Structures are given as structure tokens and as C-alpha cells.
Amino acid sequence: MTNAQQNIETPFNKEFCTRLEYRICHELEKSTNPELKGFWCDGVSWFPTENQLTKKHVNDKRKIETKAWIGKTGQMEFKATVYFGKKALSKYAKGMELTECIPDLESQSEWIEIDLENKNIEIKIG
């Protein structure tokens, strides 16, 4: 069952995933990796399995696994793992907005790793 079916209010929601999608697009656009040339992101699912959205799960596992659509057409399905840093864990535990935990446009940190062969993307938020 998804969080919509359960009607669970969580900081891992449509607004957060939409902002994450735009930031991933920006990172892909400025990537110097020739394999990623022309890639963009057409969405990050905010519907992981519902037990992942509990505060206990996020606190214990420090991640949520979901899907993202990436590629030259934006339609290749990737397994997306969003890892939570200390600030994001604290905000999630308090039910607070997560968007400010997404690295900003000027960030020099390596916060996204893409494995094209296995269709995985790892995302680290604050």
C-alpha cells in the first residue's frame, strides 16, 4: 500500500520529490561525465512502500528506497535510494519540511551517484 492509500502525511512527499527532481536535472545538466550527456530526470516517486515512510524506519535505516525516471528521454526507470544525513533525520523525526536538506545549486559536494549499468541512483540529502 502506498502513503496515499494510507493517507500518511510525511515530509517525503510530492513537493520534496518534485524539488529533488529539478535538482537532479541541474546536476545532470552540469555533469562532465560524457555518458550522462543529454540526460534529465522526469520524476522521483514519493510512493515507496509505506513501512519505509515511518519515522522508525527512516531513523533506523537512514534511507528510503523508491524509483526515479532518468535518461535522454527521462523514461528509464532507476532504483533510487535517498540517504538521510543528520539534519534530514532530525527534520523527518519532527515531521518538518525536507526540501532545505537538498544541496543547493552552488553545492560542490558529490551528493548524487549514478550507476548506469545497474540503473541505480544514490542521493544524499543533508
Side-chain angles (χ1 to χ4, degrees):
M1 230 181 262
T2 64
N3 57 347
Q5 290 166 324
Q6 288 284 318
N7 204 18
I8 296 171
E9 284 297 317
T10 133
F12 193 88
N13 56 28
K14 182 177 181 179
E15 182 181 345
F16 170 75
C17 289
T18 299
R19 289 196 187 190
L20 188 58
E21 168 193 342
Y22 287 119
R23 281 294 290 118
I24 291 169
C25 281
H26 180 78
E27 291 299 307
L28 289 168
E29 200 176 280
K30 72 178 192 177
S31 174
T32 56
N33 181 341
E35 290 184 315
L36 298 176
K37 185 122 181 98
F39 273 47
W40 60 288
C41 180
D42 191 28
V44 176
S45 175
W46 58 93
F47 295 120
T49 56
E50 83 282 347
N51 65 336
Q52 287 191 72
L53 296 174
T54 65
K55 290 177 182 178
K56 179 175 179 13
H57 174 88
V58 172
N59 186 59
D60 292 351
K61 303 292 183 184
R62 294 174 154 51
K63 67 181 180 180
I64 289 178
E65 294 176 347
T66 190
K67 292 182 245 178
W69 292 269
I70 299 171
K72 291 190 180 198
T73 64
Q75 298 304 304
M76 279 194 302
E77 189 175 298
F78 278 64
K79 175 184 172 191
T81 307
V82 180
Y83 291 95
F84 287 70
K86 286 181 183 173
K87 181 178 170 186
L89 283 171
S90 174
K91 287 189 168 292
Y92 199 92
K94 296 173 185 169
M96 295 171 66
E97 179 72 40
L98 288 176
T99 55
E100 70 181 47
C101 297
I102 299 170
D104 61 29
L105 293 174
E106 291 76 40
S107 175
Q108 297 300 312
S109 68
E110 296 290 321
W111 63 281
I112 296 175
E113 287 183 37
I114 298 176
D115 177 348
L116 290 174
E117 189 175 323
N118 296 306
K119 293 188 177 166
N120 284 323
I121 179 169
E122 294 185 349
I123 304 157
K124 297 175 183 86
I125 62 170

